Amino acid sequence: MTSVTAEPANIPTHVAVIMDGNGRWARARGKARHAGHRAGVKSVRATVEAAAERGVAHLTLFAFSSENWRRPEEEVSSLMKLFVEALRREVSELHRNNVRLRFIGAREQLSDSLQRKIAAAEETTAGNTGLMLNVAVAYGGRWDIVHAARVVAQRVASGELTASEVNENEIASALQLGDTPDPDLLIRTGGEQRISNFLLWNLAYAELWFTDVLWPEFDKQDFDAALAAFSAKQRRYGHTGEQVEAAEC
Ligand code: FPP
């Protein structure tokens, strides 16, 4: 008998996620926005588990953007508290599951206490060899590119590099995810179809998958639906479909 498997043929190496819809989920239930963010932690857990189980190597979650500082002070401070609480509660479980945790973004904008907890979590999990989990906090794609440009400019100023040696590789490797392959798949929940200043450089060739599901409702089945849609795509990187098919033979 032929065995039938639900496993998609091509598992993306790197999945990036814009977790949107927490506020609307809370409002629909007559709750404060913060309740939506708290409920969203469960979906973070499910997504991390699903990514590890399906063999995704890198998962990058957009938890707090450069622009989210503009939210009401009360919401910002409750989100910061939630990050501290999530670190306290989740790091040992992530460590047990061989997950390596890393934060990207302007971490100097965070409180000293949160920065210390982030550094400790990164240190605890640094030797793990399973899923690489990147959490973007105080992160913006334009900030990332400007920061990388400054790093490269310093190298030119110091004579290590000439201006004509500045190329895509030099800039890409100075980005926050300079050591990580670009995302193959971007998932955005919450119904909006935009990038919102997430990994602007890195998402150049990503497949985009949008769902109306609000983040607190997002589960492993939704993650699998995104993987299945990804698996059906032909990635051409500027080539023709015929060229890609010939190369696959
Ligand atoms: C966007 O929904 C969500 C955020 C700005 C915060 C995401 C944070 C979490 C899911 C908390 C846990 C995260 C980690 C990594 C532990 P929104 O508030 O913009 O929703 P809306 O569009 O419905 O208003």
Side-chain angles (χ1 to χ4, degrees):
M1 203 170 93
T2 318
S3 75
V4 177
T5 170
E7 290 280 312
N10 308 308
I11 296 291
T13 301
H14 184 176
V15 178
V17 187
I18 300 178
M19 310 180 286
D20 195 17
N22 294 348
R24 279 164 285 159
W25 181 91
R27 198 170 57 227
R29 284 157 185 78
K31 295 181 178 184
R33 294 179 58 80
H34 183 57
H37 298 316
R38 295 191 79 85
V41 177
K42 179 172 56 65
S43 303
V44 170
R45 214 175 284 129
T47 302
V48 171
E49 278 175 22
E53 284 165 12
R54 308 299 180 249
V56 170
H58 305 267
L59 176 68
T60 304
L61 304 177
F62 204 6
F64 190 86
S65 74
S66 318
E67 292 72 32
N68 285 152
W69 291 115
R70 299 175 191 152
R71 292 194 173 197
E73 205 184 310
E74 191 192 334
E75 182 172 347
V76 170
S77 82
S78 67
L79 267 168
M80 294 299 147
K81 280 192 197 130
L82 188 59
F83 297 144
V84 170
E85 195 183 312
L87 281 170
R88 188 169 51 74
R89 283 205 191 163
E90 311 287 341
V91 171
S92 52
E93 178 73 8
L94 292 170
H95 188 37
R96 255 197 308 281
N97 286 297
N98 199 22
V99 175
R100 185 168 165 202
L101 186 60
R102 173 169 63 177
F103 284 75
I104 60 169
R107 64 173 73 193
E108 68 281 0
Q109 293 176 3
L110 307 173
S111 71
D112 289 347
S113 137
L114 180 52
Q115 285 187 51
R116 279 196 299 273
K117 288 179 172 73
I118 283 173
E122 288 177 334
E123 203 182 310
T124 301
T125 61
N128 291 343
T129 54
L131 176 72
M132 178 80 222
L133 172 59
N134 303 298
V135 180
V137 176
Y139 176 86
R142 288 184 177 177
W143 167 85
D144 196 357
I145 294 169
V146 169
H147 185 266
R150 283 200 192 128
V151 170
V152 174
Q154 286 289 353
R155 294 178 60 206
V156 173
S158 73
E160 189 192 326
L161 208 63
T162 65
S164 60
E165 282 167 347
V166 176
N167 57 24
E168 286 193 17
N169 283 342
E170 297 300 344
I171 295 183
S173 59
L175 292 168
Q176 297 283 288
L177 293 181
D179 59 354
T180 304
D182 286 344
D184 305 290
L185 170 65
L186 172 75
I187 296 174
R188 181 175 185 142
T189 63
E192 309 290 358
Q193 304 200 352
R194 51 182 178 245
I195 306 288
S196 298
N197 199 19
F198 198 23
L199 302 160
L200 293 181
W201 177 291
N202 321 61
L203 288 170
Y205 287 101
E207 299 296 333
L208 310 181
W209 190 81
F210 301 105
T211 173
D212 289 338
V213 171
L214 303 175
W215 180 251
E217 301 281 345
F218 188 83
D219 61 17
K220 286 186 181 184
Q221 280 184 350
D222 298 310
F223 190 80
D224 282 342
L227 292 195
F230 172 81
S231 177
K233 298 277 181 188
Q234 182 192 58
R235 306 185 77 200
R236 292 196 282 274
Y237 301 100
H239 293 102
T240 65
E242 290 75 16
Q243 284 176 306
V244 175
E245 279 152 28
E248 282 167 356
C249 288

